[in-house]
Amino acid sequence: MRSLRAVRKSFHDIPGRDGVSGFRGAAAGGGGGTRAAAGGAGAQRVRLQRTLWGSASHLCILVIGLAYYLVGFVSGTQLAILALLTLIINLGFIGAILSGINLWSRDPSLTFPQLFCAPWPAVYIMYFVSDPQARTAPLLMGLVALMFGAFSMSFRRLATLAGVLYGGYLLMVIGLYLNRSPHFEVRAELLIMVAYGLSLLMVARLGSLIADLRRHLRERNRELEATMRELTELATLDPLTRLPNRRFLMEQLEKESARMARRGAEQAALCVCMLDIDHFKRFNDTYGHQVGDAVLCAVASSLQGALRQSDVVGRFGGEEFLLLFTECSADCALKVAERVRRAVATVRVPELGAHGPVTVSMGIALHRPGDDMDDSLRRSDEALYQAKAQGRNRVVLAEPLALNAM
């Protein structure tokens, strides 16, 4: 039924999103979740966009490599190999996302693998740079990688990534030493290694604090969303029957009335129906309010099952319910109301005993463009009292207003 769907639409849990990824800007998949949930077209599109955006980090390394070539630190062949390595890494991860292979991973954004592969082209080109100070430029990109990883990684994974970055630089230094490079300066290299190691450690720690703050904010957001759902429920749902309350019904009546005015009565006819449980006071007086509540809940459940998907129903107050028959003529409304009346007549509340079954009386008023909402409610209420006067357990259609009275 449309009424409950409309009220509860905002209650649905918001699906989790990938976080901002690391060095390459890839999204953090968060690890768990089903392939179906992670493999939506929108999610894959976001991962691809962020992976492409993250390619800017490799572009920076290429720019640094080009600068090395222009000043004579590296040869054209070495620069070409750097470009080839960069292209292979980028195309590999982009292809994995386009083909859907990434969905088989616990992290469908492949965040850590991308971050793991990111520093090696820089390590390669640094090996051929003779000046230790000139080699510090690619090292700065390693710190950037670590900061990007902070958006989605714990301190443990950040420390692992820092170890990979430091290990790559250490392997490069060892290679220079073993090859007895004439430009290898032990003191300068040791100083850079210590400074780089400390920088990686500090950035990893700061990154973990950022990640903790993001997790805390996500938890607070979830709490806020839960509170908002509760407030929305309190404002729009009747706590006993779980049907929309009077406030929501009046809002829906106003919306349907405005929609009918825009589209015309022929395209968007609207009927207002007031329903009252027969002899409800006797139920309460004889069996107590708990049984009365059980009757209300049973009738509410029966109403939801008998109405069309487009109809709206809610508790108007006490034992009265308001039904809005949208896109429904007077004859259509009578048929739907009769179906509802017969459905309620089948309701059985064991505690009622000989006073069962439960029956209802209903009054219907046709709401036309230009009609006042309060007037339509009044006419449906008057038709309801006519049904009561005629013996209850029946449906009465109110006489339409004369055109000159509108």
Side-chain angles (χ1 to χ4, degrees):
M1 237 181 63
R2 185 162 62 91
S3 60
L4 291 181
R5 292 202 309 272
V7 173
R8 292 170 180 166
K9 182 178 180 181
S10 61
F11 298 167
H12 295 163
D13 290 337
I14 299 175
R17 298 179 180 177
D18 287 342
V20 179
S21 89
F23 198 25
R24 297 171 47 79
T34 63
R35 290 179 57 210
Q44 285 289 83
R45 191 180 305 112
V46 170
R47 294 179 186 120
L48 179 60
Q49 289 174 348
R50 292 178 176 175
T51 299
L52 292 173
W53 176 84
S55 298
S57 63
H58 282 281
L59 181 61
C60 290
I61 295 297
L62 280 177
V63 171
I64 294 174
L66 178 61
Y68 285 158
Y69 170 75
L70 293 176
V71 297
F73 281 130
V74 299
S75 65
T77 300
Q78 293 161 351
L79 179 61
I81 294 175
L82 172 66
L84 180 61
L85 288 175
T86 301
L87 183 64
I88 291 174
I89 292 175
N90 280 272
L91 291 181
F93 287 109
I94 292 173
I97 294 176
L98 289 176
S99 64
I101 295 176
N102 63 310
L103 299 179
W104 291 96
S105 171
R106 292 182 59 188
D107 174 12
S109 296
L110 306 176
T111 307
F112 190 82
Q114 292 188 59
L115 293 173
F116 181 87
C117 294
W120 298 110
V123 170
Y124 165 78
I125 200 65
M126 282 192 298
Y127 178 79
F128 300 102
V129 177
S130 58
D131 189 344
Q133 293 181 347
R135 287 199 295 268
T136 58
L139 296 182
L140 296 177
M141 297 305 300
L143 297 178
V144 174
L146 215 54
M147 284 304 300
F148 274 114
F151 288 104
S152 59
M153 292 184 178
S154 64
F155 176 71
R156 181 177 180 180
R157 301 202 78 184
L158 285 172
T160 302
L161 178 59
V164 171
L165 295 171
Y166 192 74
Y169 180 73
L170 182 61
L171 288 176
M172 186 271 302
V173 172
I174 293 175
L176 290 175
Y177 176 77
L178 293 178
N179 286 335
R180 304 296 182 181
S181 172
H183 302 289
F184 183 78
E185 299 180 13
V186 176
R187 291 178 298 177
E189 298 296 348
L190 288 177
L191 180 61
I192 294 175
M193 288 175 59
V194 171
Y196 190 50
L198 292 175
S199 299
L200 289 172
L201 182 62
M202 292 299 296
V203 171
R205 181 54 184 163
L206 290 174
S208 70
L209 294 177
I210 294 175
D212 290 341
L213 178 59
R214 285 171 55 84
R215 282 190 291 270
H216 178 69
L217 290 176
R218 283 196 296 268
E219 293 173 0
R220 294 299 298 270
N221 285 339
R222 283 193 291 266
E223 294 174 1
L224 180 60
E225 290 166 6
T227 301
M228 291 300 296
R229 286 195 296 268
E230 293 175 2
L231 291 175
T232 303
E233 183 173 341
L234 289 173
T236 57
L237 287 183
D238 174 60
L240 176 63
T241 63
R242 311 307 295 166
L243 288 179
N245 59 17
R246 181 168 183 161
R247 172 184 175 180
F248 179 83
L249 289 170
M250 296 305 295
E251 291 176 353
Q252 286 297 113
L253 178 56
E254 184 176 357
K255 291 178 182 178
E256 292 296 336
S257 180
R259 186 168 70 96
M260 184 181 64
R262 292 193 303 269
R263 299 179 60 185
E266 294 182 358
Q267 292 182 308
L270 175 65
C271 288
V272 179
C273 177
M274 194 71 72
L275 179 150
D276 185 86
I277 301 175
D278 296 331
H279 305 296
F280 184 76
K281 186 176 184 300
R282 186 173 66 188
F283 297 153
N284 271 339
D285 294 343
T286 305
Y287 298 100
H289 290 284
Q290 288 185 340
V291 175
D293 290 347
V295 171
L296 287 170
C297 292
V299 170
S301 178
S302 179
L303 293 176
Q304 295 179 65
L307 290 176
R308 305 171 304 165
Q309 289 292 320
S310 60
D311 296 332
V312 179
V313 62
R315 187 180 179 189
F316 200 66
E319 69 271 23
E320 287 187 336
F321 296 82
L322 181 65
L323 295 79
L324 304 179
F325 301 139
T326 61
E327 300 183 2
C328 187
S329 64
D331 291 338
C332 171
L334 282 172
K335 293 178 181 178
V336 176
E338 278 294 335
R339 183 172 70 244
V340 170
R341 185 189 63 79
R342 290 193 298 269
V344 174
T346 64
V347 171
R348 294 294 181 270
V349 180
E351 293 86 351
L352 294 180
H355 287 100
V358 178
T359 62
V360 294
S361 299
M362 306 171 70
I364 301 174
L366 178 63
H367 184 82
R368 297 178 298 189
D371 286 353
D372 182 72
M373 292 188 301
D374 292 333
D375 187 69
S376 295
L377 289 172
R378 178 186 58 78
R379 290 191 294 116
S380 66
D381 199 46
E382 291 175 353
L384 170 63
Y385 278 102
Q386 292 179 28
K388 293 283 189 181
Q390 294 175 17
R392 295 184 172 85
N393 192 23
R394 66 191 64 233
V395 181
V396 172
L397 176 65
E399 291 293 332
L401 285 175
L403 292 177
N404 57 7
M406 290 173 55

